[in-house]
Amino acid sequence: MKQLSQAVTNALSRREFLVAGSSAMLGMLAAPRVFGRAAAAAAPPSMPVSMSQEPLPYAFDALEPIIDAKTMEIHFTRHHAGYVNNLHRALREEASLQGRLLEDLLGNLASVPEAFRTVMRNHGGGHYNHALFWEWMSPNGGGAPEGALGEAIEREWGSFTSFQEAFSNAAASRFGSGWAWLVLNPEGRLEIGSTANQDNPLMRGVADLVGTPLLGLDVWEHAYYLKYQNRRGDYVQAWWDVVNWDKAEALYADATRAAQG
Ligand SMILES: [Fe+2]
């Protein structure tokens, strides 16, 4: 039943945006390249987030006991699907939003017609953040990053443990709903921070942190309350055991390539 409802959700979103998705790909190919380190946050990604809700890359119970199956199911089929539905409604209603990458829309909210700016910020942001969040976790996750990202983290924070403490503090200290992030900032350095609600670091001029997201943690209560109740710190601590560093490493490689032109 769980698989069925997920399949229906995915089938609907795929069918609805078959055309829009093709346009988005064309838009990506036509997007102007922006060179230079200072423009890192604006460089078009080689792995753009789809406008559709892609299937969850694992079963609802795959991250047990860190993330319980019920939380995962509600989070994916209700919360994330809700953001996608509202985003799609805006895309249907406003032609000027079609054929553009989600990263472009979120990075240039001022270019979104005012009547659609808030829905793009909240629901476009919500879709983007969650689409990546599922990929930032894996049943085979945990451990520490390797390669260039692992080295960059050690350079910036001295050790992986110090990095974890700083990231966990950012997640714990975000008041209310929001996200903790590791980004490659516009100066080409790794940076930790947090954003409110469904804001993300692509939203220049809007969010509390600017850069290309490499890793993000959802600290909305809907992400953990069923299992951890008010103990956000326990959720954050446990989450490290399911972090998919392969995804973060791939995003870092992509972002540094884009920053170097
Ligand atoms: Fe969430």
Side-chain angles (χ1 to χ4, degrees):
M1 198 61 192
K2 283 186 288 194
Q3 278 83 357
L4 180 61
S5 60
Q6 187 177 329
V8 169
T9 303
N10 292 329
L12 282 173
S13 57
R14 279 169 192 281
R15 195 163 58 235
E16 276 181 343
F17 278 89
L18 199 59
V19 175
S22 304
S23 302
M25 287 303 289
L26 288 173
M28 179 180 69
L29 292 172
R33 294 280 301 177
V34 182
F35 299 106
R37 302 194 108 188
S46 65
M47 303 181 289
V49 166
S50 165
M51 286 290 186
S52 301
Q53 187 180 30
E54 298 295 326
L56 196 64
Y58 34 74
F60 292 132
D61 64 358
L63 304 184
E64 291 263 17
I66 310 297
I67 311 287
D68 62 284
K70 181 55 88 177
T71 294
M72 183 61 80
E73 181 180 358
I74 294 172
H75 203 169
F76 183 81
T77 63
R78 309 283 178 80
H79 294 280
H80 184 191
Y83 299 127
V84 173
N85 289 339
N86 286 317
L87 168 64
H88 286 186
R89 190 176 302 128
L91 292 175
R92 274 196 301 270
E93 291 176 6
E94 176 52 44
S96 73
L97 302 177
Q98 297 167 12
R100 292 176 63 185
L101 287 179
L102 187 55
E103 287 83 351
D104 175 38
L105 291 164
L106 299 179
N108 300 282
L109 281 171
S111 72
V112 173
E114 201 171 348
F116 293 90
R117 206 168 293 157
T118 299
V119 74
M120 185 57 66
R121 180 177 178 179
N122 291 339
H123 297 276
H127 169 49
Y128 178 89
N129 298 347
H130 286 85
L132 281 170
F133 186 51
W134 312 132
E135 292 194 70
W136 278 321
M137 299 185 289
S138 162
N140 305 312
E146 297 176 350
L149 178 58
E151 290 165 14
I153 283 176
E154 291 203 359
R155 267 201 310 277
E156 198 67 45
W157 286 280
S159 71
F160 179 63
T161 305
S162 298
F163 155 78
Q164 276 185 307
E165 283 175 15
F167 188 99
S168 295
N169 284 340
S173 60
R174 165 53 59 181
F175 182 75
S177 299
W179 291 74
W181 303 96
L182 169 67
V183 302
L184 185 66
N185 72 18
E187 288 72 46
R189 292 184 63 174
L190 295 181
E191 185 175 345
I192 286 170
S194 69
T195 56
N197 303 316
Q198 294 298 350
D199 285 357
N200 66 46
L202 297 179
M203 299 176 184
R204 287 167 298 157
V206 172
D208 295 337
L209 177 72
V210 175
T212 303
L214 306 177
L215 183 68
L217 171 57
D218 188 345
V219 294
W220 282 58
E221 284 187 343
H222 69 222
Y224 63 87
Y225 203 84
L226 286 182
K227 181 178 172 68
Y228 298 91
Q229 290 83 50
N230 62 326
R231 303 186 309 277
R232 183 191 288 184
D234 291 354
Y235 158 67
V236 172
Q237 213 49 48
W239 179 73
W240 291 112
D241 285 339
V242 292
V243 170
N244 179 11
W245 286 109
D246 290 346
K247 180 66 180 178
E249 288 164 13
L251 288 170
Y252 181 66
D254 193 46
T256 48
R257 225 180 359 253
Q260 288 159 7

